[in-house]
Amino acid sequence: MRVALFVTCINDMLHPRTGQAVVALLERLGVEVGFPAEQSCCGQPQFNTGYRQAAEPLMRRFDRAFKDYEYVVTPSGSCAAMVRDNYPRIGAKAAAEGRGRGLVDAAAFAVPKMYELTEFLVDVLKVEDVGAYFPHTVTYHPTCHGLRVLGLGDRPRRLLEHVEGLELRELPGAEECCGFGGTFAVKNPAVSAAMGADKVRHILASGAEAVCAVDNSCLLHIGGTLSRRGAPVRPVHIAEILASTGGTAGTARNARTEGSVR
Amino acid sequence: MSGTYLGMPAFPRAAATATRDTRLRANLTHATHTIRDKRAKAVAELDDWAQLRAAGAAVKDRTLRRLDHYLEQLEAAVTAAGGQVHWALDADEANRIVTRLVRETGESEVVKVKSMATQEIGLNEALAGAGIRAYETDLAELIVQLGHDLPSHILVPAIHRNRSEIRDIFRREMASWGRPAPEGLGDSPAELAEAARLHLREKFLSAKVGISGANFMVAETGTLVVVESEGNGRMCLTLPETLISVVGIEKVVPSWQDLEIFLQLLPRSSTAERMNPYTSTWTGTTDGDGPQTFHLVLLDNGRTDTLADTVGRQALRCIRCSACLNVCPVYERAGGHAYGSPYPGPIGAILTPQLRGLAGPLEESLPYASSLCGACYEVCPVAIDIPEVLVHLRERVVQGGPVTLGGTRTVLQPAKGHAAERAAMRAVGWAFDHPGALRAGMRLAARTRRLHPRRLPGPGRAWSRTRDVPEVPAESFRDWWQRTRGTSSGRGTSSESGTSSGPGTSSGPGTTSGPDTSSERRGDVK
Ligand code: SF4
């Protein structure tokens, strides 16, 4: 099984820890992980803002970077959704504009190997208990792309439910968008902030110590709002929870029994 | 009607004002959440909902592909049944036709059943200009009209008003439009409904001309269909001597069998009812029963232009159920008026810029009035992929491209005001396609990270007004990988510092001793 990590541009620059968590987790599960350095951004910001053609070179780059791999795994629901949902559209439009079938082929190649992390764990590796230990109360925010485009369903929850020490708290209004939406947050700041404020209110109502999701871009927005309000809740990518283990977190286990349910 | 949609500010500005209106937000949140939960239950009752939805989309697509054929069939059937068909290319033409038809009756008052098409063309204002008074008879439309207001929701035009506001409007305004509000009117739903009933009954019994829209038109028999909850529409359709129906050309369905699908999809999606209380159908005229003169005004007003766009045309499938409004987090906060059109919410964000063309600041801003969360697509009973059309229209805004305007194929120029964004996108795109340069930039950002402000200048200022900007970590993932693995093809073959990179010594997160990420704030729940 040849598995490549598609870390994504945001994680590469702002959340290297999430990428490291994916590597640690997959290696712990016996998967050999490669990181093709040629990889870059999936083109989602460009495409979603209306610059479809600016996404095309990035799509070709994706194709080149991952051509030797059977699976591409990413800790980002929205980037996985971009590849799976929009690459075929970009390919079809380019072909319709008379620019050949290169991008159609690139999409046909990329789509079947693209997996969001929790999908890869549950569907390909067929594990739900990844042997993680995380002695905290956590609430799960299902991101829009994970929920509606990828159809992740309860995969992330099933993984979290098997994490030792973790107490999962219900999130009111869980399926509502947090208000990030890429450039939406910049173009419609008032509405985006109002949505973020409501999401944060619900997170606080859950009483959890941490909020997790399959996408750091949503967590960036949620975390920025939490931090501005001085709220003690931490945003954590689900990969970082799943990568935590009893062994490595041993000191934490002893020191923080009050946060543990076991 | 005092208001007009023209000259509405662009969406972000109008929405910013609306988000500060706490009463509006409370009214909207309460109403949309109530309908949304009920809809979900009503839909869950049908185990073939997915098939119904696919069938609805398929019938609409099939009809749209041969729209000319079905419209001609409809025209022939309406004419054969004693009705008269008029074709209106745009709002002005439609208003001229209706005004002339009303004038020919010698009347100066008309009753109206709620109609989005006549809202779209501004018919009430046009009639007023010709000295004809139009009375809205749908309860919510009545509230909007008496309040000198504009509708803010497809199905519940006065959704932005609560009961006490409605009572105040009735007390203040009813007298100048006809029968005044009863003495000491309270704000219970029963009292408000009774006040409206008494006020409207006068109108129904005296009006000689009725104006309606229609939810559907059945091509095979020339039948028009109105689906409603109150029965006021049926009064409008049956009591006057002359009935004028103004309907968008996309509302045609081929047969009664097709109609069956939509009569299941619509009530559950809109009011969460298994079946709507009133379904009225009318076919031409019948001697001694109902209106003796019937006119059908078929409205184009940008619809054939929309039809020419292979991605955007799916908006014409819309059956105006309003389910997308009720789940939309943006609509919930921004309110219906921010969309500057009788079609608010997600469907408005894709329909208005197509019907009017990307003609001005409002139309250009509407495709961006969405976080692309996809909730609208999920609930749409005819499976309109609203996010897909939004992104497609964004492309039209920033890049221009081929469009059909007034039936002529032209090339749209990119909108002004996106030059800086376009340059930035180009620069970012270039950087992402040149990893070497990108990496240098990231390293620079990491080295200077202590100097980064928590609040941003320029276009990012709005972001950092309400949110903190994350700190740039000391090392990118890419650099960490290179330092610890030194190769792109997996572990252990490094020439750089890969000796410590076996799985057993992997320094993943969750460890408190990660050598390189200790300064990153995220991930530590402490
Ligand atoms: S777009 Fe779909 S959900 Fe929205 S009003 Fe039209 S039919 Fe209903």
Side-chain angles (χ1 to χ4, degrees):
Chain A
M1 189 191 289
R2 287 188 53 75
V3 178
L5 167 64
F6 173 40
V7 77
T8 81
C9 57
I10 286 200
N11 288 327
D12 188 7
M13 289 188 270
L14 295 177
H15 308 290
R17 228 178 149 119
T18 297
Q20 291 157 13
V22 177
V23 174
L25 173 64
L26 291 179
E27 288 182 348
R28 193 170 82 216
L29 295 169
V31 176
E32 189 171 324
V33 184
F35 178 76
E38 203 177 349
Q39 67 176 273
S40 168
C41 171
C42 65
Q44 184 183 188
Q46 294 83 351
F47 180 77
N48 280 353
T49 316
Y51 300 89
R52 166 170 54 93
Q53 293 181 5
E56 290 182 359
L58 301 174
M59 199 170 146
R60 273 185 228 109
R61 169 172 292 279
F62 185 97
D63 189 15
R64 282 199 306 277
F66 296 108
K67 64 179 178 302
D68 293 336
Y69 292 86
E70 205 180 332
Y71 296 100
V72 181
V73 178
T74 187
S76 165
S78 67
C79 301
M82 170 69 190
V83 171
R84 217 184 278 168
D85 207 38
N86 290 327
Y87 275 17
R89 280 187 186 137
I90 297 173
K93 279 193 170 180
E97 287 165 5
R99 288 184 289 115
R101 303 204 38 93
L103 290 170
V104 175
D105 296 340
F109 160 90
V111 170
K113 58 172 74 179
M114 183 78 252
Y115 281 84
E116 183 278 329
L117 174 68
T118 65
E119 233 177 9
F120 182 74
L121 294 172
V122 174
D123 294 0
V124 180
L125 298 186
K126 307 218 181 298
V127 288
E128 290 185 8
D129 186 345
V130 296
Y133 174 73
F134 195 77
H136 300 284
T137 50
V138 174
T139 192
Y140 171 68
H141 166 61
T143 65
C144 297
H145 287 100
L147 186 71
R148 302 197 183 90
V149 183
L150 298 179
L152 294 183
D154 63 353
R155 290 178 185 83
R157 287 186 66 105
R158 262 149 53 203
L159 289 159
L160 289 170
E161 276 159 8
H162 283 94
V163 173
E164 199 189 336
L166 186 147
E167 187 194 331
L168 198 56
R169 293 280 176 89
E170 280 311 315
L171 178 63
E175 297 192 350
E176 265 186 47
C177 179
C178 69
F180 175 61
T183 44
F184 173 73
V186 177
K187 286 180 182 284
N188 277 291
V191 178
S192 169
M195 289 163 71
D198 286 341
K199 181 57 73 180
V200 158
R201 189 162 48 76
H202 287 142
I203 290 168
L204 296 178
S206 79
E209 293 166 81
V211 52
C212 81
V214 299
D215 217 315
N216 272 326
S217 45
C218 308
L219 288 173
L220 181 82
H221 168 73
I222 292 172
T225 310
L226 281 164
S227 154
R228 174 60 56 90
R229 296 188 48 177
V233 184
R234 291 271 145 248
V236 192
H237 193 285
I238 193 168
E240 296 173 32
I241 293 179
L242 298 177
S244 302
T245 61
T248 51
T251 45
R253 167 177 275 178
N254 297 334
R256 300 187 41 86
T257 41
E258 78 284 357
S260 166
V261 290
R262 307 212 174 200
Chain B
M1 295 290 282
S2 60
T4 165
Y5 286 110
L6 297 174
M8 288 293 275
F11 185 84
R13 215 164 342 119
T17 312
T19 55
R20 287 195 295 271
D21 184 339
T22 48
R23 177 150 76 166
L24 173 76
R25 267 180 76 186
N27 291 353
L28 273 176
T29 301
H30 175 73
T32 54
H33 281 250
T34 309
I35 313 180
R36 139 182 357 173
D37 295 346
K38 282 210 248 163
R39 187 211 74 98
K41 279 202 201 85
V43 163
E45 280 179 1
L46 292 188
D47 48 22
D48 64 345
W49 184 260
Q51 288 95 308
L52 266 176
R53 181 180 191 243
V59 169
K60 281 280 182 179
D61 280 350
R62 177 159 53 82
T63 315
L64 289 170
R65 267 198 299 276
R66 297 192 58 206
L67 193 60
D68 50 346
H69 165 77
Y70 290 113
L71 287 172
E72 281 168 17
Q73 194 187 352
L74 175 82
E75 180 180 32
V78 169
T79 310
Q84 297 170 48
V85 176
H86 312 262
W87 299 81
L89 199 60
D90 56 22
D92 282 348
E93 191 174 6
N95 288 331
R96 269 200 308 276
I97 292 169
V98 177
T99 307
R100 174 173 56 79
L101 292 173
V102 177
R103 279 217 173 113
E104 281 170 10
T105 67
E107 295 295 319
S108 58
E109 290 190 345
V110 301
V111 287
K112 286 185 67 201
V113 44
K114 181 188 160 198
S115 152
M116 314 242 31
T118 61
Q119 281 286 353
E120 178 187 322
I121 61 177
L123 178 64
N124 289 9
E125 290 80 358
L127 289 175
I132 300 163
R133 207 169 200 196
Y135 294 105
E136 295 291 347
T137 66
D138 172 87
L139 178 55
E141 283 289 343
L142 175 72
I143 296 163
V144 167
Q145 186 173 46
L146 293 178
H148 307 285
D149 203 353
L150 289 166
S152 66
H153 188 274
I154 291 179
L155 201 76
V156 199
I159 196 168
H160 55 293
R161 301 287 198 185
N162 64 29
R163 282 192 275 133
S164 65
E165 293 174 87
I166 295 167
R167 180 205 51 209
D168 295 346
I169 291 171
F170 278 12
R171 280 186 181 167
R172 199 174 59 231
E173 301 286 341
M174 267 184 171
S176 58
W177 289 82
R179 186 182 170 126
E183 275 300 305
L185 176 68
D187 68 358
S188 74
E191 279 175 284
L192 295 175
E194 182 62 13
R197 198 193 329 267
L198 294 169
H199 179 80
L200 287 172
R201 186 141 301 176
E202 273 189 7
K203 301 277 159 30
F204 289 134
L205 293 174
S206 61
K208 299 277 186 290
V209 182
I211 295 180
S212 85
N215 294 92
F216 305 99
M217 305 184 284
V218 184
E220 62 178 359
T221 54
T223 303
L224 274 70
V225 184
V226 154
V227 169
E228 51 153 349
S229 303
E230 294 165 1
N232 292 344
R234 182 167 291 178
M235 307 272 261
C236 275
L237 296 166
T238 49
L239 293 173
E241 289 162 8
T242 301
L243 174 61
I244 305 166
S245 300
V246 184
V247 190
I249 52 174
E250 83 283 16
K251 298 267 175 125
V252 68
V253 296
S255 70
W256 282 78
Q257 201 173 357
D258 299 318
L259 187 63
E260 174 246 6
I261 299 166
F262 299 107
L263 291 185
Q264 294 183 70
L265 289 172
L266 181 52
R268 282 182 202 259
S269 302
S270 56
T271 48
E273 290 165 311
R274 292 176 183 144
M275 192 179 173
N276 45 285
Y278 295 86
T279 302
S280 305
T281 67
W282 65 104
T283 313
T285 55
T286 309
D287 281 343
D289 184 16
Q292 295 301 296
T293 310
F294 170 57
H295 297 278
L296 172 58
V297 182
L298 289 171
L299 178 69
D300 185 323
N301 206 29
R303 285 161 175 77
T304 42
D305 290 347
T306 305
L307 197 57
D309 187 313
T310 49
V311 176
R313 68 164 64 132
Q314 55 185 310
L316 297 178
R317 284 188 210 145
C318 177
I319 57 173
R320 315 276 190 263
C321 72
S322 78
C324 58
L325 278 66
N326 298 330
V327 291
C328 178
V330 176
Y331 174 85
E332 183 185 331
R333 274 104 189 161
H337 292 151
Y339 294 82
S341 151
Y343 307 109
I347 182 62
I350 62 169
L351 196 57
T352 306
Q354 294 200 88
L355 293 182
R356 292 191 199 153
L358 292 161
L362 173 75
E363 290 79 7
E364 280 171 13
S365 71
L366 284 176
Y368 296 95
S370 166
S371 65
L372 303 179
C373 79
C376 49
Y377 177 32
E378 188 177 55
V379 296
C380 177
V382 285
I384 301 171
D385 193 337
I386 294 174
E388 180 189 17
V389 182
L390 286 166
V391 171
H392 175 76
L393 293 174
R394 291 176 185 186
E395 191 185 316
R396 284 281 165 279
V397 173
V398 299
Q399 293 194 336
V403 290
T404 306
L405 276 178
T408 314
R409 205 86 177 129
T410 52
V411 174
L412 193 71
Q413 291 308 306
K416 294 189 195 80
H418 290 263
E421 177 187 271
R422 198 173 302 123
M425 281 291 169
R426 219 172 269 151
V428 169
W430 182 87
F432 280 134
D433 204 24
H434 292 80
L438 182 65
R439 210 161 154 183
M442 275 158 56
R443 285 192 178 140
L444 181 67
R447 266 206 303 279
T448 58
R449 68 205 183 94
R450 295 282 169 235
L451 308 172
H452 295 177
R454 300 306 302 273
R455 302 209 180 191
L456 297 171
R461 183 152 17 113
W463 164 277
S464 54
R465 196 172 294 140
T466 53
R467 287 153 286 212
D468 281 340
V469 182
E471 238 171 78
V472 175
E475 187 181 44
S476 70
F477 176 85
R478 199 174 284 272
D479 284 346
W480 170 83
W481 180 275
Q482 171 101 58
R483 184 166 58 73
T484 57
R485 317 284 168 122
T487 168
S488 67
S489 57
R491 60 184 131 96
T493 52
S494 166
S495 57
E496 209 172 306
S497 57
T499 45
S500 65
S501 65
T505 56
S506 168
S507 54
T511 66
T512 43
S513 57
D516 37 56
T517 56
S518 51
S519 59
E520 223 223 336
R521 295 181 306 121
R522 291 270 311 281
D524 289 314
V525 181
K526 284 184 181 161

